[in-house]
Amino acid sequence: MRVIVGHYVGGTNGGNLSEDVIHKNNYAPVPGAGEGGRPVQLSQRELITARELYSLHSYNILVSDKISINRSLPDMRSDRCKEVVFDLDNLPTATVIIVFHNEAWSTLMRTVMSVLMRSPTQLLQQIILVDDASDRRYLFQELDEAIEKLDRVQLLRNPERTGLVGARLLGAKKATGDVLVFLDAHCEVTPGWLEPLLDRAGSDDVFICPHIDLLSEDTLAYTKSIDAHWGAFSWRLHFRWLIPGGDVLRKKSENPSKPYPTPAMAGGLFAVRKSLFWRLGGYDEGMTIWGAENLELSWRAWQCGARVEITSCSRVGHIFRRHSPYKYPGGVTKVLHANLARAATVWMDEWADFFFKFNPDVATIRDQQTVADRVELRKNLKCKSFAWYLSNVWPQHFFPTDQRWFGRIKSEKGGCIGVNPGTLGLGSPAVAVECITQMGLESLVVFTPEGKIMTDEGLCLQQGNGRALWKSCSDSSKQIWIQKGPRLKTQEGLCLTLVVNKDSHGVGDPLTSKKCLTDDKQIWHFNRVPWR
């Protein structure tokens, strides 16, 4: 299973709405609305208004304004997690840092109130809100007055927009707690959320993430996400949620309350001991606004002697937005490309060449990045290579290596083995795709020495009951293919076959496994492509 997180399209920042609408706080809670994490349903007339207002925040602000900022939420932890007893007297204290830019008043305050209501007083040192140069009027006096009534909540304001990295660093420099806990401004924490984070972060060698559940962007209903997931990234370095490897799943089933490793973090929600955060170099201050800072921090943690983990015993709901409602100076593509170029240049070694080769738009700004200080940081910390990271942290990865074949596998009848954009890893039927000869990734595959045919996004070609399928890579023997000359065979001796329709060149036609015959529909040409 794959959930796309972090590939934003720049927003309209309110579209054609009037200034009065954009700057007005319409928080008016309806008794009982959304309590217990239940969905809020709107009338047909309200739905029209909600759609008109959607561009303001890329979620349903009409619903958010109906829900109390201190609404109740159920305890989402498993029974095994509820059985864990923490010695609060020996846990480190926390500073919770929440950065916002033009966030909805009700959503922001609900984030703050959920932390205050569900965090042990002796553990919560402070909450620091960092306003990253918002211009919505309701986030000035109205917010000031609301914050003044709250204990242990401090509001900092950036005079100029620096983005997530700069604003979080501002908050971190003012933190007095032992552990920094970073949250997005559209979250709600649940009972028992803080103790597991502090218990693990106290070891001073880990970035620990909560299990992120879903707050519906339409109804704000709280929904459990899949029980086991971990963070990774695609060939284009877009963050992805993937199903963990078999070893991780087995260990998790043996001890469901124990944190487990993840190759990368989503970045919005995590805790880290303050001393470790600064020892490893904080954030890369050269990154602007948003994007790629989560991958950079994950690589740096793993390669420089720390770990990144997820604990299922800390549950936090988060609104995943399909589009960013904010403006990006110079455009979202320019900002994201610059951040990706910085991260890849410093941490990916020869895989940076792979990334830039197949992402030429990013490659054009590679040499414009000033990263000498980050390269020096890596040297001083004696960090390991990216090859070590792939081999030891994420051995299930789908990136090419010198030990793996990389290129296009083309049918004698036309069409290549590959995936179309948007293909899901739940058993999507495999069809031949167009053999793009330039830098298109859709028709490129990795063929491992073990016999797996892997594509970007962690999908493997699998023998199905008839049709071949694209499924999330696993330990299944049905994902093993044996090359015998120009043929690809299953372990049962069947041959991968392109079922060509009449007058077709193979593109879009199904792949299946059939008895091996003297048939050119079972003939495949292996065209190697240098991966760097």
Side-chain angles (χ1 to χ4, degrees):
M1 178 178 291
R2 299 175 299 131
V3 180
I4 297 175
V5 179
H7 186 198
Y8 273 176
V9 177
T12 60
N13 204 32
N16 297 320
L17 298 172
S18 70
E19 288 292 304
D20 287 342
V21 171
I22 291 173
H23 293 285
K24 187 176 181 182
N25 174 19
N26 292 306
Y27 175 61
V30 175
E35 290 299 323
R38 291 186 293 274
V40 174
Q41 305 297 340
L42 300 178
S43 67
Q44 289 299 315
R45 179 172 295 181
E46 288 175 322
L47 285 173
I48 296 174
T49 303
R51 282 194 289 269
E52 293 172 346
L53 298 175
Y54 185 84
S55 61
L56 280 174
H57 305 287
S58 291
Y59 55 76
N60 195 330
I61 182 57
L62 204 62
V63 164
S64 181
D65 286 343
K66 287 177 178 286
I67 299 174
S68 170
I69 60 174
N70 57 2
R71 74 157 164 179
S72 61
L73 286 178
D75 190 335
M76 307 304 292
R77 295 173 296 171
S78 67
D79 290 340
R80 289 288 292 273
C81 286
K82 293 176 183 177
E83 293 171 358
V84 179
V85 178
F86 297 97
D87 181 359
L88 301 190
D89 292 334
N90 287 316
L91 289 180
T93 59
T95 290
V96 177
I97 300 171
I98 301 169
V99 169
F100 66 94
H101 173 75
N102 286 344
E103 195 71 54
W105 190 94
S106 57
T107 310
L108 173 62
M109 287 301 297
R110 196 174 301 112
T111 302
V112 174
M113 293 305 297
S114 74
V115 173
L116 286 173
M117 292 188 300
R118 301 185 184 109
S119 304
T121 303
Q122 69 191 88
L123 300 180
L124 184 61
Q125 182 80 8
Q126 63 188 149
I127 298 175
I128 297 179
L129 296 179
V130 184
D131 174 14
D132 191 30
S134 297
D135 56 20
R136 303 281 166 85
R137 288 195 292 268
Y138 58 75
L139 292 173
F140 292 96
Q141 183 176 344
E142 282 184 79
L143 182 61
D144 287 339
E145 292 174 351
I147 296 302
E148 287 174 0
K149 300 174 184 177
L150 303 177
D151 185 29
R152 291 168 292 153
V153 182
Q154 178 182 358
L155 176 59
L156 306 176
R157 294 192 184 275
N158 250 344
E160 296 182 0
R161 192 174 179 202
T162 61
L164 183 71
V165 166
R168 283 189 165 181
L169 285 172
L170 176 62
K173 290 172 184 176
K174 298 291 186 179
T176 58
D178 303 313
V179 172
L180 307 176
V181 182
F182 295 99
L183 294 179
D184 282 342
H186 33 270
C187 294
E188 292 180 61
V189 304
T190 64
W193 80 286
L194 186 57
E195 296 91 317
L197 296 177
L198 298 182
D199 181 63
R200 188 67 185 95
S203 65
D204 199 31
D205 67 346
V206 66
F207 290 73
I208 182 71
C209 307
H211 183 108
I212 305 177
D213 288 323
L214 309 176
L215 292 174
S216 168
E217 61 182 313
D218 294 319
T219 67
L220 263 69
Y222 193 110
T223 305
K224 272 189 173 183
S225 62
I226 57 174
D227 184 57
H229 56 243
W230 62 354
F233 44 91
S234 69
W235 289 345
R236 290 188 172 93
L237 301 186
H238 296 156
F239 179 82
R240 296 291 186 261
W241 287 117
L242 302 178
I243 295 176
D247 289 343
V248 173
L249 287 175
R250 280 189 288 272
K251 291 178 181 178
K252 190 176 185 305
S253 65
E254 294 169 1
N255 190 347
S257 64
K258 184 178 181 180
Y260 59 93
T262 178
M265 67 172 85
L269 293 69
F270 70 92
V272 58
R273 194 152 191 121
K274 185 168 57 178
S275 56
L276 175 63
F277 180 74
W278 292 120
R279 188 169 71 249
L280 291 188
Y283 274 113
D284 178 358
E285 295 187 65
M287 290 188 166
T288 60
I289 307 300
W290 178 93
E293 79 290 333
N294 60 319
L295 297 183
E296 193 275 341
L297 193 55
S298 300
W299 297 335
R300 178 154 39 99
W302 279 113
Q303 291 174 239
C304 303
R307 298 170 58 82
V308 182
E309 296 178 352
I310 296 172
T311 172
S312 299
C313 292
S314 175
R315 314 288 296 217
V316 179
H318 179 272
I319 300 175
F320 288 102
R321 298 187 281 206
R322 286 173 287 183
H323 304 281
S324 170
Y326 311 129
K327 291 181 179 178
Y328 288 67
V332 62
T333 300
K334 179 180 178 181
V335 169
L336 184 56
H337 282 181
N339 290 350
L340 287 170
R342 291 184 66 86
T345 298
V346 175
W347 297 103
M348 291 186 72
D349 301 331
E350 56 262 51
W351 283 269
D353 297 331
F354 167 69
F355 171 67
F356 289 121
K357 178 177 181 176
F358 292 97
N359 294 274
D361 289 344
V362 187
T364 60
I365 61 172
R366 179 181 190 176
D367 294 336
Q368 300 174 20
Q369 308 310 311
T370 304
V371 295
D373 60 329
R374 305 308 286 182
V375 173
E376 185 69 16
L377 172 70
R378 176 177 174 176
K379 179 181 178 181
N380 293 339
L381 290 173
K382 296 180 173 57
C383 303
K384 296 182 175 68
S385 67
F386 199 75
W388 174 90
Y389 168 85
L390 291 177
S391 297
N392 294 273
V393 177
W394 190 21
Q396 306 87 349
H397 72 89
F398 43 87
F399 277 68
T401 69
D402 289 341
Q403 292 73 42
R404 294 174 164 185
W405 186 92
F406 180 72
R408 295 182 177 87
I409 304 178
K410 184 177 181 180
S411 169
E412 177 76 10
K413 302 295 289 185
C416 279
I417 296 175
V419 292
N420 290 309
T423 300
L424 299 177
L426 300 175
S428 300
V431 298
V433 301
E434 184 178 357
C435 295
I436 302 172
T437 56
Q438 299 301 316
M439 296 303 174
L441 297 178
E442 289 77 12
S443 60
L444 288 168
V445 299
V446 167
F447 193 12
T448 72
E450 299 78 24
K452 290 188 176 183
I453 297 176
M454 315 172 85
T455 68
D456 192 11
E457 311 284 1
L459 299 177
C460 282
L461 188 65
Q462 178 168 314
Q463 176 189 2
N465 295 322
R467 294 280 298 267
L469 307 170
W470 288 113
K471 297 201 71 171
S472 294
C473 296
S474 68
D475 298 330
S476 173
S477 61
K478 292 185 177 181
Q479 294 185 354
I480 301 300
W481 300 88
I482 304 165
Q483 182 184 0
K484 296 290 186 180
R487 289 180 170 81
L488 286 166
K489 293 187 176 183
T490 68
Q491 290 187 327
E492 291 78 18
L494 300 177
C495 281
L496 182 65
T497 306
L498 177 62
V499 182
V500 181
N501 294 317
K502 188 177 180 180
D503 300 325
S504 169
H505 296 291
V507 176
D509 291 334
L511 300 174
T512 188
S513 301
K514 289 188 174 184
K515 181 180 178 181
C516 297
L517 302 169
T518 306
D519 189 338
D520 57 8
K521 293 190 290 293
Q522 296 178 348
I523 300 300
W524 300 92
H525 299 277
F526 295 77
N527 302 319
R528 184 183 293 271
V529 174
W531 63 272
R532 56 189 170 100

